[in-house]
Structures are given as structure tokens and as C-alpha cells.
Amino acid sequence: MATVPHLLLPYTSRRSIEQDGVANDTKAWLTEVFHRADSDCKGFLTRDDYKVALVAVLGYKPTKFELERTARTIDFDKKELTLEVFLKLLSSNRAIQDLDDEIRRTFLAIDTECKGFITLKDIIRVFQKIAPSVRRSAFVNAFDKLDADSDGRMGYRDFEAIMRHKADK
């Protein structure tokens, strides 16, 4: 495996994604990670170089699954993992992780009692603070439609599915 001196700290702060898929600060940071991982200045990353780069990006050693997922789309033997491909690949992964984090934080902000689910009472409490002009009946109607099994609770998976559906539009 290639060694990289002075690996960058793991990427932990939220970065905005621009229309081209990569924010300027993210692009500069990922470019530096690429060049540090490309220890021989070949202009592409080998499988081992890519592992080193992922450690810098993720903050942990990538699993075999994470590497195989990339290997399905990129042929390391054909030297396909150039800087441009690396930027596209990692910036899209970062966007996905940011969305996951945002959904998780939103759910936890509503589920203040850490019950593992959200009730209509939770929804009303939160939205009375952030949107006091919206009528209570709007929240009740929306919650009733989203509470698929009508048990008065919305678990994280249901909440996540709703949020992802909204994010895809």
C-alpha cells in the first residue's frame, strides 16, 4: 500500500454542493487528497492508493464492500481513477452522507425524548415554533397521511423515506 505522509484530517464539516457537483472548497480539498494518495505522481490512483485516499476522506479504513462498490464502476487495472473521476465519485458520496446526516439530525431534533419515533404531539410542538402561522389541522392531516399503519407513531425509517422522497423532487 502506498504511504502518504501527513494525511489530511477526516472530512467532518458540511460542504455545499454546487451545480457541477463539487463545491470549490470541497474540490480543492479532494484534489489535495488525490495528489497525496497518488504518491508516484502517475495521474491516477491504484486500488491501494484509493484505500489511502478513502482513509483521509472517511476517517477510517474502508470496508471491502466500499471498495468493491467502486471496483464495479472503475477498472483499477485500466488506470481509470483519474482526478476527474475521483472528484465526481467522492463528491457524490459526500452529498449522500450529508443528506443522511441532515435527515438523522432532523429526526432527533423532533424526537426530543429519544423514543425512537415521532408522534403528532411532537410534530405540532416543533412546527408551532418554526411555523406558528400554519393551522394545526394542516399538521394533523399531513401526519395522518404519513402514519401508514395509523398507530400514531412515525419511526425513523418512515421519516427517512418521506424526507428522501422530498429530497428527490
Side-chain angles (χ1 to χ4, degrees):
M1 182 185 292
T3 58
V4 179
H6 311 296
L7 275 178
L8 299 174
L9 293 175
Y11 182 84
T12 57
S13 63
R14 183 181 173 100
R15 306 285 185 175
S16 61
I17 303 297
E18 293 180 348
Q19 287 184 344
D20 67 351
V22 186
N24 289 334
D25 56 347
T26 303
K27 187 173 186 175
W29 181 76
L30 288 174
T31 300
E32 185 173 348
V33 169
F34 178 89
H35 290 302
R36 287 176 183 251
D38 180 16
S39 57
D40 299 333
C41 300
K42 303 172 297 294
F44 63 91
L45 297 182
T46 64
R47 186 181 190 93
D48 287 340
D49 294 339
Y50 183 60
K51 287 180 193 177
V52 171
L54 282 182
V55 169
V57 171
L58 301 173
Y60 61 86
K61 183 179 175 185
T63 64
K64 287 183 181 180
F65 173 76
E66 290 168 318
L67 292 171
E68 290 305 315
R69 184 176 55 197
T70 302
R72 280 187 235 132
T73 58
I74 294 171
D75 188 345
F76 287 101
D77 294 331
K78 292 184 180 177
K79 305 173 184 179
E80 292 179 348
L81 192 51
T82 61
L83 175 59
E84 182 180 343
V85 173
F86 180 78
L87 290 174
K88 287 180 184 177
L89 182 68
L90 276 263
S91 65
S92 65
N93 286 346
R94 191 77 240 153
I96 291 167
Q97 290 174 359
D98 282 349
L99 178 59
D100 289 343
D101 290 345
E102 184 174 341
I103 291 171
R104 192 173 298 105
R105 282 192 312 269
T106 303
F107 183 85
L108 292 173
I110 297 171
D111 180 23
T112 57
E113 297 172 9
C114 300
K115 302 177 299 263
F117 58 85
I118 295 171
T119 63
L120 176 59
K121 179 182 169 186
D122 296 326
I123 296 289
I124 291 172
R125 177 183 42 78
V126 169
F127 281 94
Q128 281 180 339
K129 291 179 183 176
I130 62 173
S133 62
V134 178
R135 294 186 322 237
R136 179 184 167 109
S137 62
F139 302 129
V140 173
N141 291 337
F143 189 84
D144 287 345
K145 289 179 184 175
L146 300 174
D147 181 17
D149 57 3
S150 300
D151 66 350
R153 300 175 174 183
M154 183 186 318
Y156 179 77
R157 290 183 192 251
D158 293 332
F159 182 80
E160 179 184 30
I162 293 162
M163 296 297 284
R164 286 192 184 285
H165 178 72
K166 183 181 182 301
D168 289 341
K169 292 193 174 217

